[in-house]
Amino acid sequence: MKIAIIGGGPAGLYAAILLRKQRPDAEITVYERNRADDTFGFGVVFSDATLDNFEKYDSPSYRRITQEFAYWDDIAVHFRGTVHRVGGNGFCGCSRRNLLLILQQRARELGVVLHFETEIDDEARFADADLIVLADGINSRFREKHIEDFQPEIDVRSNMFAWMGSTRPLDAFTFIFQETEWGPFIAHAYQYEAGRSTWIFETDPKTFERAGLAGLNEKQSADRMAKIFGWFLDGHQLLTNRSMWRNFPMIRSKRWVKDNMVLLGDAKATAHFSIGSGTKLAMEDAIALAEAMQHAPTVATALQQYEQGRREEVEKTQHAADVSLVWFEHVDRFWEFDPVQFAFGVMTRSKAITYDNLTLRAPDFVAEVDKAFARQVRARGFDIDVKKPLAPMFQPLRLREMELANRAVVSPMCMYSAKEGVPGDFHLVHYGSRAIGGAGLMFTEMTCVGRDARITPGCAGLWNDEQEAAWRRIVDFVHTNSAAKFALQLGHAGRKGATKLMWDGIDRPLEEGGWDVVSASPIPYFPDSQVPREMDRAAMDAVKAAFVAAAERGERCGFDMLELHCAHGYLLASFISPLTNERTDAYGGALENRLRFPLEVFEALRAAWPAHKPMSVRISATDWAEGGITGDDAVDIARAFAEAGVDLVDVSTGQTVRDAQPVYGRMFQTPFSDQVRNEARVATMCVGNITTADQINTILAAGRADLVALGRPHLVDPSFTIKAAAWYGAEDVFCPPQYQPGKEQIFRNSVRDRQDFEDLKIKAKPKTRAELKAEATKPLAAE
Ligand SMILES: Cc1cc2nc3c(=O)[nH]c(=O)nc-3n(C[C@H](O)[C@H](O)[C@H](O)COP(=O)(O)OP(=O)(O)OC[C@H]3O[C@@H](n4cnc5c(N)ncnc54)[C@H](O)[C@@H]3O)c2cc1C
Ligand SMILES: Cc1cc2nc3c(=O)[nH]c(=O)nc-3n(C[C@H](O)[C@H](O)[C@H](O)COP(=O)(O)O)c2cc1C
C-alpha cells in the first residue's frame, strides 16, 4: 500500500507512525514544506486522558513525550489584584518543537520516509497512492482547492491573539485578566518544560486598536505585552517566533473525505486555544484514522468510517471551544464581578466543570464563591448567614415586594387540559403538588386572554368569572399549603392558535372547531396552517384591553407576579421577530417599531397591575434562524422592557418559525440569559435543558442568571427542590406539616448519601500525572 501524507505537523506525523505500525510493508511518505526543526509556536498541552490514549496507541513515543513534560494540577486566575487557584485539573505541557522531533524520530525508526522543504501544490503527483492524507494545517491549500467537496465554513472570530513564549516558570495553568488604559488584555500561560512557558495574549479588536498594536512589529508588540504583564513576568523576557497578532478562524468542514483523500487535524476543524485542544484533536484524528484503516475492508470504507465515527467527538470539542471562546470575547461583561465569582465563571465557562465538581476538588474555593454570593444577597437587605452560607440555589431573592425563598422555578407549561379555558382538578393537583415540592416560584401555563387567544381547545384562560373562580381556588391552595410564590403567565397564541392538543400534533391546525387567528402579518406557520389576519389598530386595542382585563382578574385571584408572554412565535412575539413581521406601518421595520405593540401591552399591564407586585416578560432571545432575532437583539429588547418597568426577563429561545435550527445541549439557552443579564443589566431567569441542582448552582454562582426555571424535570418530579435542599443541607426549605416525617428522613439520609457519593467519586478518580509525579518526588518523612 502507498500512502502520501501532506504536512508534517502532529496530525501528519502521528498518522504516519500509526499507519506504518499497522502496515510495516506500506510505503508511507510525509511531505513537509518546512525544515525538520523549523517550528513555530512554543508549548502544547495535553490532558491526562489524551496521554492515556497516546500510551495505548504508541508507547515508545508516549514515553519520550512524557519524559520531556511539565505537569501541573492547578488553574490560577489572576484578576484585579487577586489570585484564585483550583486544583485537580491534570494537565501536561511539552514543547511543540520537541514533540515534532520525537514524532519525526519515531516515524523514521518505523521506516516512514520524511521529505522536508518539500512543498506540495498538486495531489496529481500521488496518482498511484492508495491513500492521500491532507494534514496541511489551518490554512490547508487542499481543503480550499476542493472547497466544493469539503465545504468548509470558516468563522473568523473577533478577538486578536498572539502566541509568545517566556522563561518565566509557572506552577499552574495561569489566566491573567489585566486592565489597561486601552481596555482588557488576557494572558493564557503555562509551562511546557523547565524554564519555558507558552504565553498567548488575547484582546478585543477595540482594545487592540486603542493600544496601537496594529502599527507595531513583532518585537515592539512583545515589548508592549512585557510592559503590561511585567508585574507578573518578574524580570523574565517574552520570546517571539512568528508571533504575529491574528484572528482565530473557527473551521468546520461538512465533508472530510474526497475519493482517497482525507482531511486531518487543523485542516478539517479547529478548536480555540482557550481549551488547549488543537494538537490533541490533530493527534486523536490520526488515531481514529488508523483505527478505521485497521478494521475496514477497503480504504474507501475506512475513510467513511473515520468521518462518521469521529465527527461527533470533534463537534463536541468544537462546541466546548466555541462556548469558551465566546466567554473570552465577552469578558468585559464580567469585569465588575466580585473576583471570586469572576474566577468561578472562568472555571465553569465551558460546562464541563460545575459547582459540585469544584466542591469536591476545591472546597475552599467554592466556600469563597458561596460567601461572595451570600454577601450580595445580604447587601439587598436579607438577614442571612454569610459565614457559612447556603448554596446559591437556596438564597432568597426579592422582586419589588415579592420575596422568593429560593431560586428554583417551575417554568410555565401548558397542560392542554382545561375545559373552555377553565382549569380543573388536574390543575389543582398539578400546581398544588409542585408548589408543595419546594420551588421558590411557580408559573402558570400560558393563560389565554380570550377564547380566540388560545393555542388549543385545551388551553387555560382568564377571560370570564368561571375561570377566575377556578384559578382563585388554585392560588388559594398554593398560598395556604406552600411557601411558593405564584406567577400568572398571560398570552395570546396569534398565528399558532386554533391548533391541536400537544399529544395530537403540536402546532398542527385543527381539522374542525377552529377559530380565526391573527398575527402581525398574514404568514401561516406551516404552509397548510390557517393564514392569519393582519391585525389592524382596532384589533390591537381589543387585544390590549383583553390583556388588561385578564390581569385585573389575576390580581383578584391573588397571583403574586405577572408575566407577559412575548416568546415562542405567539402573537406578541410575531410582532418582534422580523421573520414574522412584514408590516410597513409604525409596527414593522426596525426593532424599535416591532417592539411598539408588545411594549404598549406591557405598559398597559404595568399600569393595571399593583405597583408592589413584580412583572416579567418572556422572550425568545434568538429565532435560531437566518435573518431572525439574535442575542444582540435580545439585549435591546430586554433594555426596552426594563425601561418600561420589567423586573425580570425570562430568557427562552426559538419556536418562532418552523424551519429554525436550534443548537440543543445541556443548559443550551443559558448563554442568552448571561448575555441579556450582563449586557442589559437586568435580572434574568434562564431555562432549557437544565436538569440538576448542580447546574442551577453553577449558573447562579457564575452570575449567568438570577433565577433558574425547570420545565420538563418538574413534570416528573414535583419535589425536585426539596430533594435538592436535602442534598445541600438547606433545612429551612418549606414543607407542610403533613409531610414533615418525609422531610426529616430525606435530610437525615442525604448527609450519609452525600458522604458516600463523595467518597466514591474520590476513589474512582485516578491520580493525575501531576499528583503521581509529586508523590514520586516527595522526600520521605523523617521517622
Ligand atoms: C502561529 C501558531 C502557533 C501555535 N502555537 C501553538 C502552541 O504553542 N501550542 C499549541 O498547543 N498549539 C499551537 N498552535 C495550534 C496547533 O499548532 C495546531 O492546533 C496543531 O498543530 C494542529 O496540527 P496539524 O498537524 O493539524 O497542523 P500543523 O501543526 O499546522 O501542521 C501542518 C503542517 O503542514 C505543513 N504544510 C502545509 N501546507 C503544506 C504543503 N502544501 N506542502 C507541505 N507541507 C505543508 C505545514 O508547514 C505544517 O508543518 C499554534 C498555531 C499557530 C497558527
Ligand atoms: C408540556 C410543555 C408545555 C409548555 N408550555 C409552555 C407555556 O405555556 N408557556 C411557556 O412560556 N412555555 C411553555 N413551555 C416551555 C417551558 O416553559 C420551557 O421553556 C421548556 O420546556 C424548556 O425547559 P426544560 O428543558 O426545563 O423543559 C412548555 C414546555 C413543555 C414541555
Side-chain angles (χ1 to χ4, degrees):
M1 180 177 273
K2 220 169 164 179
I3 301 175
I5 299 181
I6 306 173
L13 289 171
Y14 207 50
I17 292 169
L18 301 182
L19 290 169
R20 177 74 185 186
K21 278 177 72 170
Q22 248 171 42
R23 296 176 158 75
D25 299 333
E27 198 182 300
I28 302 182
T29 314
V30 176
Y31 300 87
E32 168 56 51
R33 65 181 172 200
N34 291 336
R35 290 186 302 245
D37 59 352
D38 181 20
T39 178
F40 57 77
F42 294 91
V44 298
V45 30
F46 298 121
S47 69
D48 271 348
T50 306
L51 288 174
D52 290 346
N53 242 349
F54 294 170
E55 186 173 17
K56 183 168 151 206
Y57 283 92
D58 185 50
S59 86
S61 58
Y62 161 80
R63 276 200 304 276
R64 282 176 230 166
I65 291 169
T66 46
Q67 272 160 15
E68 314 260 352
F69 257 41
Y71 298 93
W72 68 86
D73 219 22
D74 286 5
I75 292 181
V77 180
H78 295 259
F79 177 60
R80 289 216 312 259
T82 63
V83 54
H84 291 96
R85 291 179 78 101
V86 177
N89 296 287
F91 274 100
C92 309
C94 127
S95 115
R96 179 175 150 100
R97 184 168 179 277
N98 282 347
L99 174 73
L100 290 182
L101 293 177
I102 289 168
L103 296 180
Q104 288 168 13
Q105 192 194 349
R106 175 76 179 135
R108 269 195 213 97
E109 281 165 18
L110 288 164
V112 174
V113 180
L114 304 177
H115 290 298
F116 291 95
E117 297 176 73
T118 310
E119 177 137 11
I120 307 297
D121 49 19
D122 189 354
E123 73 277 14
R125 66 185 274 185
F126 308 123
D128 60 342
D130 300 281
L131 170 65
I132 304 173
V133 177
L134 308 175
D136 52 343
I138 209 159
N139 297 318
S140 173
R141 164 184 302 181
F142 292 94
R143 180 189 66 223
E144 295 308 308
K145 181 171 172 190
H146 299 289
I147 199 162
E148 300 290 325
D149 297 279
F150 294 126
Q151 298 180 49
E153 257 176 41
I154 304 183
D155 174 14
V156 178
R157 303 305 308 189
S158 59
N159 269 10
M160 303 297 296
F161 77 98
W163 300 82
M164 298 190 194
S166 173
T167 49
R168 167 75 156 93
L170 295 168
D171 61 354
F173 192 112
T174 304
F175 289 112
I176 307 174
F177 296 88
Q178 186 66 45
E179 183 66 61
T180 70
E181 58 188 294
W182 307 287
F185 277 85
I186 308 164
H188 310 234
Y190 55 89
Q191 184 156 333
Y192 58 87
E193 61 185 30
R196 279 281 186 283
S197 43
T198 293
W199 285 70
I200 307 161
F201 297 107
E202 178 177 7
T203 192
D204 63 84
K206 286 199 182 111
T207 305
F208 182 80
E209 207 186 301
R210 282 193 293 264
L213 283 158
L216 304 185
N217 64 28
E218 202 178 357
K219 162 93 179 56
Q220 289 166 327
S221 87
D223 289 346
R224 175 67 55 83
M225 289 303 110
K227 216 164 170 188
I228 294 174
F229 292 92
W231 65 271
F232 187 86
L233 284 165
D234 207 13
H236 289 268
Q237 293 304 304
L238 282 179
L239 315 168
T240 54
N241 181 356
R242 296 203 214 168
S243 304
M244 286 80 73
W245 287 88
R246 63 191 82 202
N247 300 86
F248 188 83
M250 212 46 208
I251 298 173
R252 294 178 157 84
S253 306
K254 267 231 169 73
R255 302 251 66 84
W256 299 351
V257 176
K258 170 177 162 41
D259 307 326
N260 65 339
M261 293 191 289
V262 60
L263 289 171
L264 233 61
D266 275 3
K268 65 162 210 326
T270 55
H272 191 246
F273 52 81
S274 62
I275 64 161
S277 292
T279 310
K280 161 204 147 84
L281 272 189
M283 290 174 71
E284 288 180 349
D285 283 351
I287 292 175
L289 176 66
E291 276 283 347
M293 287 288 288
Q294 171 111 34
H295 298 111
T298 63
V299 170
T301 24
L303 298 189
Q304 250 178 27
Q305 280 174 11
Y306 157 73
E307 176 165 348
Q308 277 166 10
R310 177 91 182 118
R311 188 172 281 280
E312 189 181 334
E313 186 58 33
V314 170
E315 287 180 356
K316 250 166 58 188
T317 307
Q318 285 196 295
H319 179 63
D322 270 353
V323 175
S324 174
L325 76 85
V326 168
W327 192 93
F328 283 100
E329 284 175 354
H330 296 289
V331 71
D332 54 329
R333 277 185 204 157
F334 316 107
W335 216 257
E336 305 300 319
F337 274 27
D338 183 293
V340 71
Q341 185 174 37
F342 182 92
F344 184 84
V346 177
M347 293 301 303
T348 56
R349 67 189 185 279
S350 68
K351 300 196 279 197
I353 296 176
T354 64
Y355 180 89
D356 280 3
N357 172 280
L358 284 172
T359 305
L360 279 180
R361 299 204 257 146
D364 295 346
F365 173 65
V366 177
E368 283 307 310
V369 172
D370 284 349
K371 281 183 197 162
F373 196 90
R375 280 196 302 272
Q376 289 169 19
V377 174
R378 200 182 167 91
R380 305 228 157 132
F382 285 100
D383 182 20
I384 52 148
D385 186 354
V386 288
K387 291 213 177 80
K388 240 178 148 279
L390 291 170
M393 176 177 169
F394 295 97
Q395 294 293 353
L397 179 79
R398 185 182 299 111
L399 296 171
R400 300 209 178 202
E401 289 179 21
M402 181 184 79
E403 282 188 12
L404 303 178
N406 62 61
R407 312 282 181 122
V409 179
V410 180
S411 199
M413 280 180 292
C414 265
M415 292 291 106
Y416 309 101
S417 304
K419 300 261 173 324
E420 279 300 314
V422 181
D425 287 351
F426 179 87
H427 296 87
L428 179 70
V429 174
H430 169 69
Y431 290 112
S433 51
R434 273 140 200 89
I436 290 174
L441 177 64
M442 177 170 65
F443 281 81
T444 66
E445 59 204 275
M446 174 168 129
T447 303
C448 306
V449 297
R451 195 171 186 282
D452 290 356
R454 292 176 302 166
I455 311 168
T456 74
C459 286
L462 193 44
W463 67 85
N464 65 32
D465 293 348
E466 194 188 351
Q467 293 155 353
E468 186 181 319
W471 277 117
R472 191 164 49 234
R473 170 173 171 245
I474 300 171
V475 176
D476 285 349
F477 180 90
V478 167
H479 285 159
T480 310
N481 294 285
S482 82
K485 297 290 190 263
F486 203 0
L488 168 66
Q489 185 189 58
L490 287 181
H492 187 304
R495 69 172 186 156
K496 290 170 99 179
T499 54
K500 295 182 180 176
L501 303 183
M502 176 178 71
W503 42 85
D504 290 336
I506 210 159
D507 296 329
R508 297 298 310 155
L510 283 171
E511 275 142 29
E512 51 192 52
W515 50 89
D516 288 345
V517 300
V518 292
S519 191
S521 296
I523 312 166
Y525 186 69
F526 285 111
D528 62 339
S529 297
Q530 210 187 119
V531 179
R533 184 165 46 81
E534 179 174 300
M535 286 183 97
D536 57 17
R537 188 61 245 185
M540 288 188 217
D541 286 340
V543 163
K544 187 164 72 175
F547 268 99
V548 170
E552 286 165 355
R553 289 183 184 277
E555 161 58 8
R556 288 199 294 272
C557 291
F559 282 106
D560 304 293
M561 177 173 173
L562 183 64
E563 172 159 291
L564 180 61
H565 199 333
C566 293
H568 301 168
Y570 296 119
L571 181 66
L572 297 177
S574 78
F575 276 84
I576 300 176
S577 172
L579 300 177
T580 47
N581 182 340
E582 293 176 345
R583 301 175 73 102
T584 50
D585 61 5
Y587 300 92
L591 177 62
E592 190 189 350
N593 291 353
R594 287 182 272 125
L595 270 172
R596 202 181 300 276
F597 181 54
L599 280 172
E600 264 181 35
V601 175
F602 180 85
E603 281 159 6
L605 289 181
R606 191 56 277 182
W609 188 243
H612 66 281
K613 290 189 180 183
M615 277 189 68
S616 59
V617 60
R618 187 163 234 209
I619 61 168
S620 285
T622 172
D623 288 330
W624 298 113
E626 192 76 29
I629 294 289
T630 63
D632 288 343
D633 295 326
V635 173
D636 292 337
I637 294 168
R639 280 202 184 108
F641 278 105
E643 273 169 30
V646 91
D647 303 292
L648 180 82
V649 179
D650 175 355
V651 183
S652 186
T653 67
Q655 300 179 47
T656 314
V657 286
R658 87 202 131 76
D659 51 355
Q661 302 271 312
V663 183
Y664 293 118
R666 276 174 297 156
M667 308 187 268
F668 73 108
Q669 296 175 156
T670 304
F672 296 98
S673 162
D674 186 341
Q675 181 174 8
V676 168
R677 180 180 193 267
N678 296 310
E679 287 188 14
R681 309 272 167 192
V682 50
T684 61
M685 177 166 86
C686 72
V687 65
N689 217 4
I690 299 164
T691 53
T692 66
D694 178 24
Q695 291 168 348
I696 297 180
N697 280 317
T698 308
I699 291 166
L700 293 170
R704 311 186 77 189
D706 298 271
L707 289 173
V708 181
L710 277 67
R712 290 163 296 172
H714 273 122
L715 290 181
V716 288
D717 188 0
S719 305
F720 176 89
T721 301
I722 202 160
K723 286 182 185 160
W727 187 256
Y728 289 101
E731 286 171 9
D732 287 344
V733 70
F734 177 85
C735 178
Q738 296 92 328
Y739 293 173
Q740 199 60 30
K743 179 181 173 190
E744 282 162 19
Q745 184 188 46
I746 193 175
F747 269 75
R748 222 176 18 250
N749 289 351
S750 276
V751 176
R752 201 186 50 224
D753 289 351
R754 191 174 173 126
Q755 191 57 52
D756 288 352
F757 170 79
E758 286 176 6
D759 290 350
L760 262 179
K761 275 244 165 170
I762 290 165
K763 246 189 241 154
K765 184 178 170 285
K767 289 220 155 84
T768 64
R769 281 170 175 77
E771 285 164 339
L772 290 170
K773 191 176 176 197
E775 275 177 18
T777 53
K778 195 158 74 184
L780 291 176
E783 299 274 324

